[in-house]
Amino acid sequence: MKKVSCIFIVDDDPITVFGIKKMLKSVTKCDDVQIFQNGKEAYDALLERHESNKTIPDVIFLDINMPIMDGWDFLDELIILDLKEHIIINMITSSIDPLDHQKWSSFKDRCPYILNFKNKPIFKIEATDLGLMDMAS
Amino acid sequence: MLASQISKKKLKENKSFSLRHKISNHNGTGHFKSYFAPWFDEKENVIGTIIQTDNITAEVEKEHQVEWLQNILETKVEVSKTGWWEFEIATEQLTWCKETKRIHHVPDCFEPTTAEAIEFFKPGYSRNKVSMLFHKAIENQQSYDTNLMIITFNGEERWVRITGKPYVENGNTVKVFGTIRDIHDEVMAENKVKEHQQLLSTLVDSLPLNVYVKDLESRKILINKGESHYINKSKEEIIGKNDFDIYNEDTAKISREEDIQVMKHLTPIIGKETAITHNGKTTHFLTSKIPYFDLDGKVCGLIGMSLDISSIKKKEGELRDLIKITSMQNQKLIDFAHIVSHNLRSHSANFSMLLEFLKSENDPTERERITKMLSQASDNLLETLENLNQVVDVNTNTSVTKKPLFLKQNIVKVLQNFSAFLNKYDSQIINHVAEDIKVECVPAYLDSIILNLISNAVKYRSPIRKPLIIINAVKSKEGVLLSISDNGLGIDLEKYGDKIFGMYKTFHNKEDSKGFGLYLVKNQIEAMGGSITVQSDVDRGTTFNVYFNEES
């Protein structure tokens, strides 16, 4: 089983969080999985880790529609932060609104991190979603 | 010398003769007439000459004067092209001068009779009139001076000015004399000018524009009907007045500045939008002012034209409102599409995912957990559907009728219904709404609006302050303004302003926040033709203003 050191799940829907956690179990082993209800909480935690030189998450599962700070706003803040670490961000949404897809593609161009777009429902998390591709090959 | 030769010759012939001669000396010139007669003796022999000399200076001078006057008269006739005629009553002799004949296009040898002369006048008015005038001149000794039409010998119709004057001796008319002048070209030119003026004034008066001409001092020197009608005064009352005499100070000032610009820099103003308030009514105009030049090319004023575009302006406003409504409804549609694409899908996605898990799950405890989540997902879906239903109801149910409702009474009723919730958080509510304020409202919507706004005020209370909610209502011409203020958390409107009334938007970490209440309230208010706005300071409080529109 490939290991990922730290994963953030940012989503206000407990069922989705449950699903992601369950699916993660079958692809990787990770001791540090953190759950956040909205972008603000996740950002605050990330900032705290960055400032105190703690492990920055390798992978972030990010919902778009959340209270207080939504997925887009979180991305904006993260781009400004310009972390040197390699991060994979998987945007998970039930939206099939083409506008959201366009927005994602414009973010992808200016985001220093890997930015994936995944439509719900998801049934399986791939190793590539966790950046484990090179180790598998 | 010539005279003396002639006289010698005559004397030799022994005949009598007379001679005119003049003598000039230091006293001036004298004219003389001398009679020469042979002097005979008894035998009829010429023995000398008898000379009788008369001084005829006065006579000669008179002759010269007559000659001179004749000269003047001829020159006058020639220059003024005025012919003369005279009619001797005793002999019934009519005399035309050369010019008169020329005017009639007849040869110099033509000698008309009275009847013929009258026949030259155009049948109808001209002929009848001249007959009458001529008759009156003879019988009543009345002079005349009038313009009539003749048909010349060549068949040309021409306007002439004729005069006639009786010459009276011992109370009897002995002569009638008068003048005739061809004024055809003048009359035609004058008629043309009159026609042009008529055309121009008809044109200017019928234009759907207010037209005016101003002099250098911005005094109106000419206006059309439109302008007079707009100012609501007669042309006579307006002519000579400037804008300060007609409009209020501010309007007049702006207008005068425009005038100066046009007349000083000779730059026309074309199609400028202006709004003028006159007699308490504001009219929108499309105004043009162009410099007005005299015949020497010097600016002597300006010509102004104003097109009343008030109705177009009004339509433009209506159109803008319509666009606003349309774009608002469009936004609602987008919200809806989003709800369908996102909120409903998220539930169905959860079902799919959980069912997939269930298929491959063998652990009974895990299966039970998944099943529990499935029923939770089902509940969530039901709630979302219910919300959607409410919104659809508000937006499509046109049959709901508004009723006049007492605002205060309804607020009190809602407060009673959830007093338990209010008491739980020790909320204080101050209701300043006057008893008699009524709003036109759908009863269920009014309840929902009050309930949502007040419960939000309590829900988003400050952790350090007890909730204090102040309710006010003001009646104005446009309708009733209800404001609900709290001392709660407040919200950063700069950050979330555009989202606060959005669907499923929440801004505070509260378990019971769904992001639906304000969305529903906004829909309900707008469905009734009203609007809602928000003011807020973070950690100070929030005020919602609800405008109930009376008209629609």
Side-chain angles (χ1 to χ4, degrees):
Chain A
M1 186 77 70
K2 319 286 187 292
K3 256 197 99 165
V4 179
S5 53
C6 176
I7 296 173
F8 275 19
I9 302 173
V10 192
D11 200 322
D12 59 337
D13 174 26
I15 295 172
T16 309
V17 172
F18 166 79
I20 292 171
K21 270 162 75 180
K22 191 171 170 61
M23 287 182 279
L24 275 174
K25 270 185 208 155
S26 58
V27 264
T28 186
K29 199 173 154 16
C30 179
D31 301 327
D32 190 7
V33 177
Q34 301 295 328
I35 316 292
F36 304 97
Q37 301 253 333
N38 62 59
K40 182 87 172 71
E41 288 179 12
Y43 177 75
D44 288 345
L46 192 69
L47 196 63
E48 199 269 328
R49 279 174 181 244
H50 173 60
E51 281 167 355
S52 55
N53 280 322
K54 284 189 211 153
T55 325
I56 296 293
D58 303 294
V59 181
I60 299 172
F61 290 93
L62 183 65
D63 184 20
I64 292 176
N65 286 296
M66 289 178 291
I68 302 171
M69 185 191 275
D70 66 15
W72 304 121
D73 291 340
F74 175 79
L75 270 183
D76 270 329
E77 297 292 336
L78 211 60
I79 288 169
I80 293 165
L81 208 55
D82 198 21
L83 297 171
K84 294 290 159 277
E85 284 84 351
H86 180 82
I87 304 175
I88 297 173
I89 301 163
N90 297 306
M91 301 206 81
I92 311 256
T93 180
S94 57
S95 168
I96 47 166
D97 189 340
L99 276 177
D100 280 334
H101 201 269
Q102 275 171 29
K103 215 166 169 183
W104 162 75
S105 106
S106 79
F107 263 101
K108 191 173 153 61
D109 293 341
R110 58 193 180 93
C111 182
Y113 321 106
I114 295 168
L115 193 62
N116 299 321
F117 191 85
K118 290 189 169 294
N119 262 122
K120 286 187 194 174
I122 37 174
F123 303 110
K124 196 169 182 290
I125 290 169
E126 305 293 338
T128 48
D129 299 332
L130 306 176
L132 300 174
M133 194 61 178
D134 46 341
M135 294 167 89
S137 60
Chain B
M1 300 315 119
L2 191 72
S4 63
Q5 278 171 11
I6 294 169
S7 56
K8 267 183 190 164
K9 196 182 165 199
K10 296 250 181 198
L11 281 171
K12 276 181 185 167
E13 288 169 4
N14 288 340
K15 280 179 182 164
S16 314
F17 62 94
S18 66
L19 202 68
R20 278 182 170 209
H21 52 107
K22 66 179 179 186
I23 297 167
S24 298
N25 60 20
H26 62 276
N27 288 329
T29 304
H31 289 268
F32 300 95
K33 191 173 184 178
S34 297
Y35 296 93
F36 296 84
W39 187 4
F40 300 103
D41 61 7
E42 295 87 23
K43 292 174 181 163
E44 300 267 313
N45 294 317
V46 175
I47 54 171
T49 307
I50 301 161
I51 304 170
Q52 184 194 334
T53 300
D54 297 325
N55 189 339
I56 56 161
T57 307
E59 269 169 62
V60 167
E61 274 176 4
K62 219 166 245 166
E63 269 172 31
H64 281 171
Q65 217 168 346
V66 168
E67 223 168 84
W68 176 240
L69 283 174
Q70 190 71 31
N71 216 343
I72 289 177
L73 185 66
E74 268 170 32
T75 314
K76 266 190 173 171
V77 166
E78 219 177 290
V79 171
S80 68
K81 308 246 185 262
T82 306
W84 58 263
W85 56 270
E86 64 175 42
F87 177 71
E88 201 93 39
I89 297 200
T91 59
E92 294 200 351
Q93 173 82 37
L94 178 66
T95 313
W96 279 4
C97 81
K98 267 190 186 174
E99 184 63 24
T100 304
K101 290 175 183 170
R102 205 191 55 77
I103 290 168
H104 285 82
H105 295 156
V106 292
D108 286 353
C109 60
F110 182 79
E111 296 300 338
T113 63
T114 320
E116 278 170 340
I118 286 173
E119 292 267 296
F120 271 102
F121 286 85
K122 195 181 171 182
Y125 175 78
S126 288
R127 194 176 293 173
N128 296 345
K129 181 90 179 173
V130 78
S131 308
M132 188 195 68
L133 289 172
F134 188 65
H135 181 75
K136 274 189 175 173
I138 296 167
E139 296 300 318
N140 307 353
Q141 297 166 355
Q142 275 179 8
S143 300
Y144 60 85
D145 180 349
T146 187
N147 296 345
L148 292 175
M149 207 171 227
I150 57 165
I151 299 172
T152 68
F153 189 68
N154 296 349
E156 245 181 85
E157 285 191 8
R158 295 191 76 86
W159 279 99
V160 290
R161 178 174 178 178
I162 54 162
T163 65
K165 200 175 179 182
Y167 183 73
V168 181
E169 254 177 25
N170 303 326
N172 294 320
T173 316
V174 292
K175 256 187 203 182
V176 180
F177 64 95
T179 60
I180 179 164
R181 189 159 68 90
D182 185 328
I183 53 163
H184 191 74
D185 295 340
E186 290 161 48
V187 170
M188 283 299 124
E190 206 177 301
N191 281 353
K192 200 137 226 173
V193 169
K194 271 188 196 157
E195 266 170 36
H196 280 158
Q197 271 176 346
Q198 174 69 16
L199 175 70
L200 207 65
S201 69
T202 309
L203 182 73
V204 169
D205 266 346
S206 336
L207 280 176
L209 288 170
N210 298 352
V211 180
Y212 49 85
V213 180
K214 285 175 172 180
D215 65 10
L216 290 172
E217 302 297 319
S218 285
R219 285 181 297 239
K220 288 190 167 145
I221 52 174
L222 198 141
I223 60 164
N224 76 339
K225 267 189 194 152
E227 176 77 355
S228 141
H229 186 256
Y230 169 67
I231 295 173
N232 201 15
K233 280 188 177 135
S234 72
K235 283 188 183 185
E236 292 71 30
E237 283 176 284
I238 297 165
I239 298 296
K241 301 255 170 66
N242 64 25
D243 290 331
F244 289 92
D245 301 325
I246 298 167
Y247 302 114
N248 67 44
E249 176 103 17
D250 293 341
T251 306
K253 243 184 203 163
I254 295 169
S255 179
R256 173 68 179 153
E257 272 162 29
E258 288 171 356
D259 293 358
I260 289 171
Q261 190 213 316
V262 170
M263 294 187 290
K264 198 171 165 190
H265 304 294
L266 308 182
T267 45
I269 295 173
I270 305 288
K272 180 184 173 188
E273 267 193 38
T274 52
I276 293 174
T277 305
H278 181 55
N279 290 344
K281 194 179 155 233
T282 300
T283 314
H284 292 271
F285 285 112
L286 213 55
T287 300
S288 297
K289 289 181 179 180
I290 49 178
Y292 175 39
F293 300 100
D294 61 17
L295 292 175
D296 298 330
K298 255 169 55 187
V299 68
C300 62
L302 63 85
I303 300 168
M305 280 157 281
S306 300
L307 175 65
D308 185 343
I309 52 163
S310 300
S311 61
I312 297 170
K313 271 274 173 199
K314 199 177 152 213
K315 286 214 179 83
E316 196 183 299
E318 284 168 3
L319 209 63
R320 205 175 288 133
D321 287 347
L322 207 66
I323 289 169
K324 222 168 103 188
I325 290 168
T326 314
S327 67
M328 227 163 68
Q329 278 173 343
N330 204 26
Q331 185 55 47
K332 277 184 190 163
L333 268 177
I334 290 170
D335 285 348
F336 244 82
H338 196 79
I339 293 160
V340 174
S341 93
H342 180 265
N343 298 69
L344 287 182
R345 262 201 110 251
S346 83
H347 298 302
S348 76
N350 282 346
F351 278 124
S352 305
M353 184 184 72
L354 291 170
L355 288 170
E356 192 68 25
F357 289 166
L358 207 58
K359 252 196 264 174
S360 53
E361 189 59 67
N362 295 320
D363 180 4
T365 39
E366 191 64 10
R367 282 185 73 93
E368 201 184 314
R369 230 178 120 189
I370 294 168
T371 315
K372 220 169 142 188
M373 285 204 172
L374 270 171
S375 75
Q376 199 188 322
S378 156
D379 288 346
N380 291 346
L381 178 61
L382 275 178
E383 195 190 333
T384 303
L385 284 174
E386 211 171 284
N387 288 346
L388 282 179
N389 214 26
Q390 268 181 293
V391 177
V392 170
D393 250 8
V394 170
N395 285 301
T396 56
N397 218 341
T398 45
S399 63
V400 286
T401 42
K402 295 202 280 183
K403 287 181 190 161
L405 301 168
F406 283 107
L407 195 52
K408 178 153 190 179
Q409 204 179 308
N410 276 272
I411 293 169
V412 170
K413 189 183 78 192
V414 172
L415 291 177
Q416 274 167 358
N417 285 349
F418 75 133
S419 55
F421 171 76
L422 296 173
N423 290 337
K424 188 176 162 191
Y425 301 105
D426 214 354
S427 324
Q428 192 193 351
I429 296 179
I430 300 170
N431 188 353
H432 283 310
V433 180
E435 293 280 355
D436 62 336
I437 290 184
K438 273 191 196 173
V439 288
E440 286 283 329
C441 233
V442 179
Y445 293 180
L446 183 59
D447 288 352
S448 153
I449 291 162
I450 297 166
L451 179 73
N452 273 294
L453 293 180
I454 293 176
S455 69
N456 269 357
V458 178
K459 220 187 267 176
Y460 304 110
R461 66 193 172 274
S462 158
I464 49 165
R465 291 185 292 272
K466 281 182 189 168
L468 171 67
I469 300 157
I470 299 166
I471 309 169
N472 263 311
V474 191
K475 208 178 154 90
S476 74
K477 217 165 61 184
E478 289 82 30
V480 174
L481 164 63
L482 169 70
S483 52
I484 297 177
S485 306
D486 65 48
N487 61 345
L489 292 167
I491 181 167
D492 186 349
L493 287 176
E494 228 166 88
K495 226 165 151 184
Y496 304 118
D498 54 336
K499 294 178 180 169
I500 188 160
F501 296 108
M503 190 168 196
Y504 296 124
K505 301 285 182 195
T506 54
F507 310 95
H508 297 288
N509 254 341
K510 292 275 176 189
E511 280 300 310
D512 50 357
S513 303
K514 297 271 167 46
F516 183 70
L518 283 180
Y519 179 75
L520 183 67
V521 164
K522 187 174 164 70
N523 272 278
Q524 288 171 330
I525 292 167
E526 284 171 0
M528 297 187 295
S531 61
I532 181 166
T533 62
V534 61
Q535 290 167 280
S536 187
D537 286 313
V538 173
D539 214 25
R540 295 279 293 277
T542 305
T543 300
F544 284 97
N545 293 314
V546 181
Y547 300 88
F548 294 98
N549 193 346
E550 287 296 278
E551 280 165 42
S552 49

